[in-house]
Amino acid sequence: MQAYFTTHGCKLNQAETVQIRNILKAQGIISDVCQNVNSSELIFVNTCAVTVKAAAKSRHSLSRLARENPDAIIIAAGCLAQMDPDALKAINGIDYILGTDARFITDWWIGKPIEPVVALNRYTSRIKPSADADYPGRSRPFIKIQDGCTQNCTYCVIPRLRGRMRSVQRKDILTATARVIEAGAYEIVLTGVRIGSWGTDIDDVDGLTGLVNDLASLPGSFRIRLGSIEPWELNEDLVKLVSSNNKVCSHLHIPFQHTSDRVLDRMGRPPIGDVIEMLTFTRQLHPEMALGVDLIAGFPGETEEDINYLVHKLENMPVTYIHAFGFSPRSRTLAASMPDQIPPHIIKRRVTRLIEIGERKRRDFYSENIGRTLIVIPDRPVKGSELTQVISDNYLRVMMRTDEIKTGRPVKVKLKRDYLTRCKGAVLDSNSLNEVVNHGGLTAG
């Protein structure tokens, strides 16, 4: 049976899609994976529910796929399936609705059912997370090192959907990473819900810093990129490792969510004053380091004073890009029922302010890198154009002509100028586009 897979949401979801695909192949449910949805007999949709918008996007995708492929078996799996199975049952044509843990078990399979089969988690987190190394044709595979969260932020549904914190064993991560390197991967992205907490549940005293050190010691020409790290899990040892090891990408992404202690307390998150100082230390240690932050505007009770304080802090922080989101109330979370909900038009205005700051900081960071030699790895083609997006170790996403690069291979380039108007990339020095890197790390100066 030919199968088509599509993934919504985070890098963790993408890593899990690979794992699920391999389970279905091993169990004989599917024979192969096809890239053309119209020729597939089974369509597997790994959904997202982290925001209202993400959930709506997953539902719309499922509706369209079911409508356009009435003979195919349609499987809706993951976070939205776990959170709101009734909404998915209402979509005509969906055959299976599988929760976040149930999607890794195949005892639900009965072929094409007469009525939708719903398999949700009876015991949250009963599935032990694992790394999976089968990423054919991927130069930037995602390796899952951890799942679940126990922070219970007042706005977040993830602990309810994914359960407690669980780490993949160190040896399994090393084995999976070695396999993708041997298969030709050039950038390994470590992903999870809270990778900064890796090892705390399995008594691994060295934690994430020790794990990354071990991964960087593997033979081969590759680099390691870290996923998001919660502010309170960032420490000086990790910063020094990221700043100094040429196999670790010069990039940290930290979900601050806010800078006001009052708002953070309402979010169920600790203060981050010390972490802001850590960012300054990081940029001083490594001026080319990319530092990104997630922010939520319009949280219930957020005042104009709070948002002005956030803006002031951002203006003076050495961040290089910002992901700004408007507060999105999720059912059965504390924040959804809090008093002082902010009207949507005010949330939109506040998000716009944060986005504008982020765009300016991103342009400044691109400008600072003009003239630098960078090693970039092709990421994905741009639909409807002759361009491919490539990514540097310090998270500069730039555009190159597709016919000037070799698919899946790193190239050394010189950043010549940036697109100050489009803020989407850079024109690269064509004299060095095709130089393939053959040394231990994939960073340059």
Side-chain angles (χ1 to χ4, degrees), residues 406-423:
K406 188 173 181 180
T407 303
R409 302 288 290 181
V411 291
K412 183 182 287 187
V413 302
K414 188 173 183 179
L415 201 59
K416 191 173 181 182
R417 69 177 177 85
D418 65 338
Y419 280 28
L420 293 179
T421 54
R422 292 177 60 201
C423 304

Side-chain angles (χ1 to χ4, degrees), residues 382-425:
V382 179
K383 288 184 178 180
S385 78
E386 298 178 348
L387 300 175
T388 292
Q389 179 177 261
V390 299
I391 185 169
S392 69
D393 81 294
N394 64 338
Y395 210 57
L396 292 171
R397 293 184 176 273
V398 298
M399 301 297 177
M400 294 173 61
R401 286 178 54 90
T402 303
D403 59 6
E404 293 177 321
I405 61 176
K406 188 173 181 180
T407 303
R409 302 288 290 181
V411 291
K412 183 182 287 187
V413 302
K414 188 173 183 179
L415 201 59
K416 191 173 181 182
R417 69 177 177 85
D418 65 338
Y419 280 28
L420 293 179
T421 54
R422 292 177 60 201
C423 304
K424 286 186 178 179

Side-chain angles (χ1 to χ4, degrees), residues 284-297:
Q284 290 172 346
L285 193 65
H286 192 341
E288 290 82 27
M289 176 83 73
L291 297 173
V293 295
D294 288 338
L295 298 168
I296 297 175

Side-chain angles (χ1 to χ4, degrees), residues 346-361:
I346 295 179
I347 292 177
K348 183 176 180 180
R349 185 182 71 216
R350 292 177 181 179
V351 171
T352 299
R353 290 182 68 186
L354 301 181
I355 290 174
E356 289 173 351
I357 296 171
E359 289 294 299
R360 185 169 67 252
K361 285 184 173 289

Side-chain angles (χ1 to χ4, degrees), residues 4-34:
Y4 176 85
F5 290 81
T6 185
T7 307
H8 294 269
C10 61
K11 294 180 176 67
L12 177 57
N13 251 12
Q14 295 180 50
E16 289 169 338
T17 295
V18 173
Q19 184 181 356
I20 294 162
R21 183 199 69 197
N22 293 338
I23 290 171
L24 296 182
K25 287 184 72 174
Q27 295 294 318
I29 292 173
I30 66 172
S31 58
D32 205 356
V33 177
C34 61

